[in-house]
Amino acid sequence: MTPPQNAEVLIIDDVPANLDLLSSMLTRRGYTIRTAIDPRLGLMSAQVAPPDLILLDISMPEMNGY
């Protein structure tokens, strides 16, 4: 399945290895990836430039993904 042209995914996770793995998997499939290791920065990024999809860790130290 080919992603829509210019489809952008924002990945928010406090574990760098998770960001690397998801980024590489989705990049190989043609998605444009933005990452944030800090949930507050990720939320600000999403407000400034909303992505097509957000993948969010639900268990982070500062705030949860809910």
Side-chain angles (χ1 to χ4, degrees):
M1 180 178 201
T2 304
Q5 189 173 10
N6 300 323
E8 186 174 59
V9 178
L10 171 60
I11 305 170
I12 305 172
D13 197 315
D14 61 321
V15 178
N18 293 346
L19 292 174
D20 292 341
L21 176 64
L22 289 169
S23 294
S24 65
M25 289 172 58
L26 292 170
T27 298
R28 278 186 265 135
R29 288 176 169 65
Y31 291 92
T32 300
I33 305 299
R34 291 176 11 214
T35 62
I37 198 162
D38 178 274
R40 295 182 200 290
L41 292 176
L43 291 175
M44 286 191 296
S45 173
Q47 289 174 337
V48 170
D52 297 298
L53 176 69
I54 299 174
L55 297 178
L56 179 63
D57 183 359
I58 60 167
S59 178
M60 292 180 278
E62 293 180 31
M63 67 173 52
N64 66 42
Y66 295 112

